[in-house]
Amino acid sequence: MLSLHQLRCFLATYEHGSLTAAAEELGYAQPSVSEQVRALEKTLGVPLFRRVGRGVVPTTLADTLRPYAEQAIAASEEARRAVQSAVSLESGTIRFGMFGAARLYAGAQIVADVLERYPGVRVELIGQHSNEVQEQLRRGHLEAALIAATSVESEGMTVTPVARDELVYISADPSRLRSPVTAARLARASLIMPETTWRSSDSVRILLRRFLHEAGHNPQTRIEVEEAEISVDLVGRGLGDSVIPRAAAEQLVPRLAPNVGWVSLRPKQYDVMAIVHRRGAVLSPAAQVLIEIATRHIRSIAEPV
Amino acid sequence: MLSLHQLRCFLATYEHGSLTAAAEELGYAQPSVSEQVRALEKTLGVPLFRRVGRGVVPTTLADTLRPYAEQAIAASEEARRAVQSAVSLESGTIRFGMFGAARLYAGAQIVADVLERYPGVRVELIGQHSNEVQEQLRRGHLEAALIAATSVESEGMTVTPVARDELVYISADPSRLRSPVTAARLARASLIMPETTWRSSDSVRILLRRFLHEAGHNPQTRIEVEEAEISVDLVGRGLGDSVIPRAAAEQLVPRLAPNVGWVSLRPKQYDVMAIVHRRGAVLSPAAQVLIEIATRHIRSIAEPV
DNA sequence: CGAAAGCATAGGAATCTCCTTGGGAAGCCG
DNA sequence: CGGCTTCCCAAGGAGATTCCTATGCTTTCG
């Protein structure tokens, strides 16, 4: 089988026209290089050098081989460099999981920050929703992620809470925003909720469900949509009210539905944002960088835990 | 040190997302592939796969590495193909030595014949003069050559006579062409000779020198030029006469000096054309092809030995 | 002709490669 | 939940490869 080592010996010999000189350049003894070149000739089944007097002379087949050998060697060296620079974050990809809502109001800024610090890097923010992200983590497709975690424990995962964000009740009707919304009032409200697909595991839903249950009520929604933006838009049109994290409200409401206001729940409810990764995993520099930046960001727009 | 084998294992693993599947594809046992991948990770100093549950998942560094690995592998495979196709004369270079005069009247046709049979190859006809060619042979820069050999022996070389070409006396004066030229007459002639640079070792010169010496004369030339064409041209202008191989005369005279005629020497003298290569050398298919074609050609325009 | 240069060969130590066997963790299924 | 399968890692050993030193042979050069 062809090997890079053989090609390296071949090229050095070709360039110097001498096995001895090639050996010196490569830091080997002369017979070693001789052996490698002979092995290459054997695997290719052709003579590459004529042994003539003292010295060796490349055949035309060696001329034919040379450019390919150079390309293979070059590719292997570039591979080294590329990987090294990816490690040092001069290039390469940082892949990080992030749930939908966080992407909405922090994603862009996080990407911008990473790029400012590491201009050569590619950034991928993966995942629509924290549960999907958690699944990818479990499967190893993601190294780490920022998720909205209902509980701070998760099997086989290390979860590090970063910040909490209050859930607020949003409505286009100012009369409903005069005082904090209790479970009783929430149970009577006509709710528009996003994340339909994840309805059973979405952390906001879980919080609300618990909130209502504890007061003896059952949750009920009027309208189910997929995107948080759409639910805010619908709330703006007066078709119902909703409950979303405050940071999301601050981000989406002015843009999509300026007539909408918000008020706390009573008692206040908090969605916890956490960094999560496989237990015992060694995080790459890239992941560590993104964790650091994401953490700082989330803390700047939400309350510390 | 990076090796192609490691890269092959890496790529197979990357593509299958599994060491076991990669091993099956490559025809190895699973631990072997595992070891290669681990060795690659060690030499690069970075993790390429995350071992997660069952299966392995490429890291972003693996993504970074992959295109380079593919390029290196592809280059090595193309190297194989290129060399094979050069061996089978679908491509590659045929390099062959040939002395000046033969190039004049057979070179073009030989190249044309080779290209007709092997459309993909490059042809290089090397060498101005048989002595220069012989030197390149000795140094191993040429595999084989067609030379004008005075003697059929040459140190360390195998010389195979192919054809002989009679030397003829050419002149613009018909009176000097009525009968074959003897040594005595030649000694009195005003000669224009080509190949000045090689005057001491040119085969025609050597033949003439011997021819004259045996009759007790000394050779003397009136005009020395480098190119056979120029000497013929000068003969046509009546500035002197010359001695050249008959095939050269047949080729050059009608074109350059139609008023020139030729006559044999007495006794007739022959320049011998021969294939020569290093003693004991195994000739490549390319060289054999060219030898065959050149031999056929020379025989068609000169006498067999 | 002797000295130097340069490749080939030989033999041995160290390393690598690749296998087989066995163990453990994770997922799958009844 | 418990057994079964899958897939990876670890260990050990046989065989091949690599790489060295020492040496011999041929060519070249003074």
Side-chain angles (χ1 to χ4, degrees):
Chain A
M1 211 38 156
L2 226 54
S3 85
L4 282 179
H5 189 199
Q6 292 168 353
L7 295 180
R8 275 187 277 264
C9 290
F10 163 73
L11 280 184
T13 305
Y14 185 100
E15 280 154 20
H16 288 92
S18 153
L19 290 166
T20 304
E24 188 171 351
E25 180 194 307
L26 297 171
Y28 292 123
Q30 168 263 317
S32 305
V33 177
S34 176
E35 188 177 350
Q36 292 301 320
V37 170
R38 215 190 325 273
L40 180 59
E41 288 178 319
K42 189 180 168 192
T43 61
L44 290 176
V46 303
L48 295 171
F49 296 96
R50 265 190 294 282
R51 275 67 170 179
V52 40
R54 70 180 173 196
V56 291
V57 178
T59 63
T60 57
L61 289 170
D63 298 336
T64 302
L65 175 61
R66 182 170 66 142
Y68 298 96
E70 282 172 345
Q71 203 182 334
I73 301 289
S76 79
E77 282 171 2
E78 280 163 26
R80 271 200 114 88
R81 271 199 297 280
V83 169
Q84 298 312 326
S85 75
V87 167
S88 62
L89 290 174
E90 290 163 23
S91 71
T93 302
I94 297 183
R95 187 183 296 154
F96 196 76
M98 190 174 272
F99 65 96
R103 284 231 314 284
L104 279 182
Y105 50 82
Q109 190 59 48
I110 287 173
V111 170
D113 280 7
V114 171
L115 290 182
E116 191 188 348
R117 250 170 83 178
Y118 304 102
V121 90
R122 265 189 73 231
V123 179
E124 287 183 20
L125 290 185
I126 300 283
Q128 299 297 323
H129 184 275
S130 66
N131 279 75
E132 191 186 35
V133 164
Q134 216 158 349
E135 176 64 16
Q136 293 211 40
L137 271 170
R138 217 174 42 79
R139 291 192 187 158
H141 292 130
L142 280 173
E143 204 175 349
L146 177 66
I147 67 167
T150 310
S151 70
V152 175
E153 54 198 303
S154 183
E155 197 174 352
M157 296 287 165
T158 297
V159 180
T160 313
V162 168
R164 63 177 195 174
D165 199 5
E166 184 190 343
L167 298 185
V168 295
Y169 183 91
I170 63 174
S171 174
D173 182 350
S175 71
R176 299 180 203 152
L177 302 173
R178 297 221 181 85
S179 61
V181 177
T182 61
R185 260 187 66 199
L186 187 63
R188 291 197 306 273
S190 171
L191 286 180
I192 303 170
M193 294 301 291
E195 310 286 0
T196 309
T197 306
W198 311 98
R199 96 180 61 182
S200 62
S201 55
D202 176 64
S203 68
V204 173
R205 305 281 190 121
I206 293 172
L207 279 169
L208 288 189
R209 209 149 47 217
R210 195 191 304 155
F211 178 55
L212 291 171
H213 269 146
E214 283 170 358
H217 297 285
N218 271 321
Q220 204 139 41
T221 55
R222 178 80 176 286
I223 303 174
E224 290 279 349
V225 298
E226 205 60 62
E227 310 286 335
E229 286 97 320
I230 293 176
S231 64
V232 171
D233 190 338
L234 293 174
V235 170
R237 294 162 194 251
L239 296 174
D241 300 338
S242 185
V243 176
I244 63 176
R246 177 190 293 275
E250 285 171 354
Q251 178 73 16
L252 297 176
V253 163
R255 182 153 57 87
L256 298 171
N259 59 320
V260 166
W262 61 83
V263 66
S264 294
L265 301 179
R266 177 168 17 220
K268 287 187 175 178
Q269 300 293 314
Y270 293 95
D271 200 10
V272 174
M273 279 165 282
I275 298 294
V276 61
H277 57 82
R278 296 173 60 81
R279 193 178 324 279
V282 178
L283 294 180
S284 69
Q288 289 171 12
V289 161
L290 217 145
I291 286 173
E292 182 204 323
I293 289 178
T295 301
R296 201 167 51 224
H297 238 282
I298 295 295
R299 289 206 171 127
S300 76
I301 59 175
E303 310 172 38
V305 178
Chain B
M1 212 38 154
L2 227 55
S3 84
L4 282 179
H5 189 199
Q6 290 169 355
L7 295 180
R8 276 187 275 264
C9 290
F10 162 72
L11 280 184
T13 305
Y14 186 102
E15 279 153 21
H16 289 93
S18 153
L19 290 166
T20 304
E24 188 170 352
E25 180 194 307
L26 297 170
Y28 293 124
Q30 171 265 318
S32 305
V33 176
S34 175
E35 188 178 352
Q36 292 301 320
V37 171
R38 214 189 330 269
L40 180 59
E41 288 178 320
K42 190 181 168 192
T43 63
L44 290 176
V46 302
L48 294 172
F49 296 96
R50 224 167 295 126
R51 276 67 170 179
V52 40
R54 72 177 168 196
V56 292
V57 177
T59 63
T60 58
L61 289 171
D63 298 337
T64 302
L65 175 61
R66 182 170 67 140
Y68 298 96
E70 282 172 346
Q71 204 180 334
I73 301 287
S76 80
E77 283 171 1
E78 278 163 30
R80 271 199 114 88
R81 270 199 296 278
V83 169
Q84 298 313 324
S85 86
V87 166
S88 59
L89 294 178
E90 291 156 18
S91 69
T93 301
I94 298 182
R95 189 180 293 152
F96 197 76
M98 191 172 272
F99 64 99
R103 286 231 312 285
L104 279 182
Y105 51 79
Q109 190 57 49
I110 288 174
V111 170
D113 282 4
V114 171
L115 290 181
E116 191 189 347
R117 248 171 84 180
Y118 303 102
V121 302
R122 271 188 66 231
V123 178
E124 289 182 10
L125 288 186
I126 299 282
Q128 299 297 323
H129 184 275
S130 66
N131 281 77
E132 191 187 34
V133 164
Q134 218 158 348
E135 177 63 16
Q136 292 213 41
L137 272 171
R138 216 175 42 80
R139 291 193 187 155
H141 293 130
L142 277 175
E143 195 177 352
L146 178 65
I147 68 168
T150 310
S151 69
V152 175
E153 53 199 301
S154 182
E155 197 175 351
M157 296 288 165
T158 298
V159 180
T160 313
V162 168
R164 63 179 194 173
D165 200 7
E166 186 192 348
L167 298 185
V168 295
Y169 182 91
I170 64 173
S171 175
D173 180 350
S175 72
R176 298 179 202 153
L177 303 173
R178 296 223 181 85
S179 61
V181 176
T182 60
R185 261 185 66 200
L186 186 62
R188 293 195 305 272
S190 172
L191 286 181
I192 303 169
M193 295 299 291
E195 310 285 0
T196 309
T197 306
W198 311 98
R199 100 180 59 180
S200 62
S201 55
D202 177 64
S203 69
V204 173
R205 305 280 190 122
I206 293 172
L207 280 170
L208 288 190
R209 210 149 47 219
R210 195 193 301 155
F211 177 57
L212 292 170
H213 268 145
E214 283 171 0
H217 296 284
N218 271 320
Q220 203 138 41
T221 56
R222 178 78 176 286
I223 302 174
E224 290 280 348
V225 298
E226 204 63 66
E227 310 286 334
E229 285 98 328
I230 293 177
S231 64
V232 170
D233 189 325
L234 293 173
V235 170
R237 293 163 195 253
L239 296 174
D241 299 339
S242 186
V243 177
I244 63 176
R246 177 191 294 275
E250 286 169 353
Q251 179 73 17
L252 298 176
V253 163
R255 182 152 55 89
L256 299 171
N259 59 317
V260 165
W262 61 81
V263 65
S264 294
L265 302 179
R266 183 172 9 218
K268 288 187 174 180
Q269 299 293 315
Y270 293 96
D271 198 14
V272 174
M273 279 166 280
I275 299 294
V276 60
H277 57 82
R278 296 175 61 82
R279 194 179 321 281
V282 178
L283 293 180
S284 68
Q288 288 172 12
V289 161
L290 215 143
I291 287 173
E292 181 204 323
I293 289 178
T295 301
R296 203 166 49 223
H297 239 281
I298 295 294
R299 289 207 169 126
S300 76
I301 60 175
E303 307 169 42
V305 178

